[in-house]
């Protein structure tokens, strides 16, 4: 069990999202990194930076909390919850000023101390419902 990998995942979410500190991405993410997200695949540290910037533009007060985390050797699996207010464009949806709360799962693979791959899945349908785009809330 690699405590370092778990702490690296925690630090990524705390620094990258909660503190909006993206200057470390080059040192923490491999150039070969690939993120598999509901919105599609994104590549390298620059792809991660673009992902974070997009979420923070849409939800400037975004807060992600790791609710549960498990080390699986070179991979770390986690369950998270996120809250924020929709104050910027998101997936072509104009700002609604609505608060949102979503839950999701992620798996990060780390090699030689760098993130190499990330899988994220979250309640996209629930998010769109909260934004008033799909069905009743």
């Amino acid at each position: 069990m690699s405590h370092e990998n778990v702490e690296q995942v925690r630090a990524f979410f705390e620094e990258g999202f909660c503190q909006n500190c993206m200057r470390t991405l080059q040192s923490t993410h491999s150039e070969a990194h690939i993120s598999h997200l509901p919105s599609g695949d994104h590549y390298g540290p620059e792809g991660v930076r673009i992902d974070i910037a997009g979420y923070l533009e849409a939800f400037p007060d975004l807060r992600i909390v790791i609710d549960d985390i498990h080390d699986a050797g070179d991979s770390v699996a986690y369950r998270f919850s996120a809250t924020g207010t929709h104050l910027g464009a998101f997936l072509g949806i104009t700002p609604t000023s609505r608060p949102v709360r979503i839950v999701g799962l992620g798996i990060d693979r780390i090699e030689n101390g760098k993130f190499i791959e990330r899988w994220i899945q979250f309640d996209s349908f629930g998010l769109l419902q909260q934004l008033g785009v799909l069905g009743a809330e």
Side-chain angles (χ1 to χ4, degrees):
M1 182 162 155
S2 172
H3 181 69
E4 293 83 22
N5 288 351
V6 168
E7 289 310 310
Q8 190 169 347
V9 169
R10 286 186 190 281
F12 167 72
F13 281 100
E14 179 61 32
E15 295 168 9
F17 281 95
C18 297
Q19 296 175 14
N20 193 9
C21 179
M22 295 183 265
R23 67 180 174 271
T24 62
L25 295 176
Q26 290 293 336
S27 63
T28 59
H29 288 71
S30 165
E31 286 298 322
H33 182 270
I34 181 168
S35 292
H36 307 283
L37 305 173
S39 58
D41 292 347
H42 301 97
Y43 302 91
E46 181 63 9
V48 176
R49 186 198 65 75
I50 290 168
D51 291 338
I52 292 172
Y55 283 109
L56 291 176
E57 181 179 324
F59 305 95
D61 60 344
L62 182 65
R63 174 109 169 97
I64 298 175
V65 174
I66 302 291
D67 299 313
D68 200 11
I69 192 164
H70 298 278
D71 191 330
D74 67 349
S75 295
V76 176
Y78 46 92
R79 183 174 51 82
F80 64 90
S81 54
T83 56
T85 310
H86 184 219
L87 299 175
F90 178 69
L91 299 175
I93 303 165
T94 58
T96 62
S97 298
R98 291 180 179 209
V100 298
R101 182 182 185 284
I102 63 163
V103 294
L105 301 169
I107 300 171
D108 280 322
R109 190 164 55 90
I110 299 170
E111 288 181 2
N112 301 317
K114 289 193 172 193
F115 290 103
I116 190 80
E117 188 172 26
R118 176 170 295 124
W119 292 85
I120 298 287
Q121 219 29 266
F122 58 82
D123 182 10
S124 303
F125 185 77
L127 175 58
L128 294 174
Q129 282 183 313
Q130 291 174 67
L131 296 177
V133 177
L134 295 176
E137 292 181 39

